[in-house]
Amino acid sequence: MLPNMEITMSEKISDTSRLATPTVDVLAPGIQTTIQDYPGRQGYWNIGVPPSGPMDSLAFRLANRLAGNQEGLAAIEITFAGPTLRINCDTVIAVTGAPIEVNLNGKPLAQWKSHKIEAGALLAFGDVLDQGSRVYLAIQGGIQVPDYLGSKATFMLGQFGGHEGRILQAGDVLNIVAGNHSGYTPRELPQASIPRYTRHWKIAVLYGPHGAPDFFTEEGVTDFFAADWTVHHNSDRTGVRLIGPKPKWARTDGGEAGLHPSNVHDVAYSIGAVDFTGDLPVILGPDGPSLGGFVCLVTLAHAELWKMGQLRPGDRITFRRISADEAATMEASQDALISALRLPETPLSAGIKVALTDDSPILHTLPENSEQVQVVYRQGGDRNLLVEYGPMVLDFNLRFRIHALMEWLQQAVKEGGLPGIVDLTPGIRSLHIRFDAKLLPRDRLLNTLISAEKELPAIENMEVPTRIVHLPLSWNDSSVQLAMKKYMQSVRKDAPWNPDNIEFIRRINGLDSIDEVKRIVFDASYLVMGLGDVYLGAPLGTPVDPRHRLVTTKYNPARTWTPENAVGIGGAYMCVYGMESPGGYQLVGRTVQMWNSHVQTKDFREGKPWLLRFFDQVRFYPVTEAELARMRNDFPGGKFTLRIEEDRFSLKQYNDFLRENAASIDTFRTKQKAAYIAERERWKAEGQENYTTSEILEDHSAPTDISIPAGTRTVHTHVTGIVWKLPVNEGQHVNAGDDLAILESMKMEFTVSAPVSGVLRRVLCKTNSKVSARQILFLIEED
């Protein structure tokens, strides 16, 4: 409901000098209101910094266009329920996105058109209505906040960008530009061009980068497109979790990458990829991770990404496969709408009925020969391409070849011969290329990559700079123990890695004691092969010595919370979590920060907030939890510094080392594999091998036996979620505005309030129960 909109004249003119100031006062913040810009933060995907920006870029860009702005200017994103703002100068505004209650000076304000307003105007948003979840407010001249890494977009998890790196709060003051009404021309989007919001979305996707027959069965791919998927309540800007049929896998496990068939050697992701974290699919959002070890079956077309921003819990989704050419046509149509505000040739909400094209996610393959390993070029949406080298194994030679390709492409970009490259992100045996298809058509990029293979230097004698970085590690820190407990309480109680990840690592590797696990972790030297797993310069490393590679599986499903700088092992890899985030690695401890947003120190220098570089070697040394707490307090300010040694890493010397120690390496791997197989058999025997969330079969419908007597008001919820707190009881008297329930949905809290005063005659929900949108929760007999 809208807040009380009674405005007195004295409130409007109590401070005339204040009203001339080009600012916006935040009187009430809404649920999750942030500042974003488009296209967000570019060029940092390879170190784990997501673009952020608007979840619904279409509505965002149209809002700026309607307000007379260039589309790159910052505007406000509103989620589910909006703020109350006082705008202290004459200006022009526009509101777009999901239908929402919004008033200007107490009168309803129309969406999808520009409005000229005067200084002192009060703009009050209420709730998003039955469809969609996000709304956009653009103000002429844009919101004026500092750039961070080239963008004003808020990245809440990283705590940077926007207004102080966070959601807006009551009392915030935002700087804007004084409006110029001279020559003002009203703008309005034609009714036929307004995107349609629904509860059953049809979303166009491109097949790949992973698919059948390597990862999924053909039947599994068919099932995916035939399914009616449901949006899980535990979704947000990082990703939209989906509930639906269990995937049909074409293999039994991921080998060195992990026990589950969804596990792969870490690879960079595309925004909008449908990522299978175990059996649970997640659409990766603009605040999502750049690197991870899971397969992605399809990727949303660039012109369809906006729909992800309007999904709400309980919505249904059907995916439709299209080709890259059809995706380009959709994008051109969308761009025409934005630039000219005219009706596009293809309705934006039509769902695009097309034949199943691009039957394989593989665009081209160069077969292995005497001169090179196999190269596979995979489709990752219409703006991403994935280059994979060699077999699906962990091999430093493949990572060095990826490095050679990346350097070749960087040089081509520098020389101006390859415009349109946005990001180059290396994985273990792959290079993810994000490109602007309008500047660099995919076919041209693919032909360039194929030609490049003849020009790449030999890697046999390649050397790269390496630094030995000594990091403190608090073994089995209480913070990682808390993450394990939360997982058991809220995600999966019976997982084989519960209740102790370290004991699980011992068992699956066939080690005699936990002390042996600890010894190996501290003896290992982890070569950093990727950054940004998970987020903000977080290292993805693997032990240089194969006898130090503790192989585990990743969580299925993933954790919803991991403490900042937790150290985990997944597959044969180690990572340090760059910030609080979801995660799937088995946790062993915690270390110091990998990212330092605003302070340059001896360890964070050259204007780079990330600590580590590709091909650094991480070595841990033990500290107590209390010692680590002091180090974490002192490290960002430079009061504590790390021991770092400069060196070089020679691929030739490394391959010589492997040959010299082949026998003992094989002995270690043989014992490890036997334990790995025994663990898998134990899972089968105990029914833990195939986990399926019970929510797939759960009925979210409201009770059917509700009778509503005369004089009784019903109280509904407008979101699907979990009842977190229920502070009232049947028979209790409540006053209008009292809290009846607090729901958790989309990783936010929603309060259900009493619309009237009266007696609670029925409470139709309970704590920890799931409720669906529009479900009746309470009956109140009015006073």
Side-chain angles (χ1 to χ4, degrees), residues 543-623:
V544 172
D545 188 337
R547 293 165 295 189
H548 292 153
R549 291 176 189 166
L550 298 172
V551 178
T552 73
T553 192
K554 305 178 183 88
Y555 280 39
N556 173 30
R559 288 183 305 276
T560 57
W561 178 79
T562 310
E564 179 190 51
N565 308 134
V567 177
I569 297 175
Y573 302 101
M574 177 278 299
C575 84
V576 180
Y577 287 79
M579 62 185 198
E580 289 188 7
S581 66
Y585 281 37
Q586 306 293 331
L587 302 178
V588 298
R590 195 182 194 195
T591 187
V592 293
Q593 294 86 344
M594 298 292 102
W595 186 272
N596 197 353
S597 292
H598 302 292
V599 180
Q600 292 287 287
T601 68
K602 179 182 176 182
D603 295 317
F604 296 93
R605 58 183 188 272
E606 301 171 1
K608 298 176 181 178
W610 56 96
L611 173 68
L612 298 172
R613 307 169 187 170
F614 295 124
F615 301 113
D616 278 351
Q617 295 181 62
V618 170
R619 296 180 185 173
F620 293 111
Y621 64 93
V623 296

Side-chain angles (χ1 to χ4, degrees), residues 393-407:
V393 296
L394 171 55
D395 183 345
F396 283 12
N397 293 275
L398 300 180
R399 180 61 181 87
F400 271 70
R401 190 164 184 91
I402 285 293
H403 188 65
L405 175 61
M406 186 172 72
E407 289 189 322

Side-chain angles (χ1 to χ4, degrees), residues 11-26:
E11 286 179 304
K12 287 186 178 182
I13 61 174
S14 60
D15 186 347
T16 56
S17 63
R18 173 71 168 161
L19 298 184
T21 304
T23 59
V24 175
D25 295 338
V26 181

Side-chain angles (χ1 to χ4, degrees), residues 45-48 266 290-291 399 425-428 527-534 537-542 573-576 612-616:
W45 200 233
N46 65 346
I47 56 163
D266 279 54
S290 63
L291 195 68
R399 180 61 181 87
T425 308
I428 298 302
L527 187 71
V528 175
M529 305 175 78
L531 292 171
D533 188 358
V534 179
L540 173 72
T542 194
Y573 302 101
M574 177 278 299
C575 84
V576 180
L612 298 172
R613 307 169 187 170
F614 295 124
F615 301 113
D616 278 351

Side-chain angles (χ1 to χ4, degrees), residues 138-445:
I139 301 176
Q140 188 180 76
I143 308 296
Q144 305 300 301
V145 293
D147 282 1
Y148 185 82
L149 296 180
S151 172
K152 293 177 170 58
T154 306
F155 180 38
M156 291 177 289
L157 292 175
Q159 300 178 24
F160 55 72
H163 184 74
E164 299 181 4
R166 57 169 171 77
I167 61 175
L168 297 184
Q169 299 175 359
D172 285 344
V173 177
L174 308 177
N175 293 322
I176 56 175
V177 176
N180 181 4
H181 286 175
S182 62
Y184 165 71
T185 302
R187 294 181 175 178
E188 183 172 359
L189 192 68
Q191 186 68 30
S193 298
I194 296 173
R196 288 205 306 271
Y197 301 98
T198 179
R199 299 304 306 274
H200 193 164
W201 297 85
K202 298 178 181 179
I203 301 180
V205 298
L206 286 82
Y207 185 22
H210 306 108
D214 297 331
F215 302 96
F216 298 85
T217 65
E218 293 288 356
E219 183 183 4
V221 174
T222 299
D223 288 350
F224 176 85
F225 285 105
D228 207 20
W229 298 90
T230 301
V231 175
H232 190 282
H233 73 275
N234 198 3
S235 302
D236 64 358
R237 287 179 53 93
T238 64
V240 177
R241 296 187 175 204
L242 304 177
I243 302 170
K246 187 179 186 301
K248 292 182 173 69
W249 299 104
R251 54 189 194 155
T252 57
D253 59 51
E256 288 177 299
L259 257 179
H260 195 273
S262 66
N263 297 166
V264 292
H265 294 283
D266 279 54
V267 61
Y269 295 135
S270 303
I271 300 295
V274 178
D275 179 40
F276 279 78
T277 58
D279 294 329
L280 178 70
V282 180
I283 310 174
L284 297 176
D287 282 359
S290 63
L291 195 68
F294 296 103
V295 298
C296 300
L297 178 59
V298 299
T299 307
L300 272 61
H302 185 76
E304 295 279 88
L305 289 174
W306 69 271
K307 293 181 178 179
M308 177 169 50
Q310 296 299 347
L311 297 173
R312 61 162 59 194
D315 279 4
R316 314 290 285 188
I317 300 173
T318 301
F319 293 104
R320 293 185 180 272
R321 192 190 313 182
I322 65 170
S323 70
D325 288 343
E326 289 161 323
T329 299
M330 292 171 65
E331 184 177 357
S333 177
Q334 195 175 94
D335 287 344
L337 167 69
I338 293 167
S339 60
L341 290 180
R342 65 176 177 80
L343 180 65
E345 295 176 4
T346 303
L348 295 172
S349 55
I352 315 297
K353 294 183 179 180
V354 298
L356 295 184
T357 55
D358 289 345
D359 288 333
S360 171
I362 298 175
L363 302 175
H364 188 73
T365 300
L366 295 178
E368 182 179 4
N369 58 43
S370 58
E371 297 180 358
Q372 70 170 46
V373 298
Q374 176 180 277
V375 190
V376 178
Y377 302 91
R378 293 183 176 275
Q379 178 172 250
D382 49 324
R383 288 197 169 198
N384 306 276
L385 193 149
L386 189 68
V387 184
E388 285 185 346
Y389 281 120
M392 287 185 281
V393 296
L394 171 55
D395 183 345
F396 283 12
N397 293 275
L398 300 180
R399 180 61 181 87
F400 271 70
R401 190 164 184 91
I402 285 293
H403 188 65
L405 175 61
M406 186 172 72
E407 289 189 322
W408 188 93
L409 289 168
Q410 288 170 336
Q411 185 62 32
V413 171
K414 184 178 180 180
E415 293 173 354
L418 202 60
I421 297 290
V422 179
D423 283 298
L424 297 171
T425 308
I428 298 302
R429 47 180 289 273
S430 60
L431 182 68
H432 183 275
I433 303 170
R434 185 179 175 203
F435 62 96
D436 186 338
K438 289 178 285 187
L439 299 176
L440 180 61
R442 188 178 73 178
D443 288 348
R444 180 188 169 192
L445 173 59

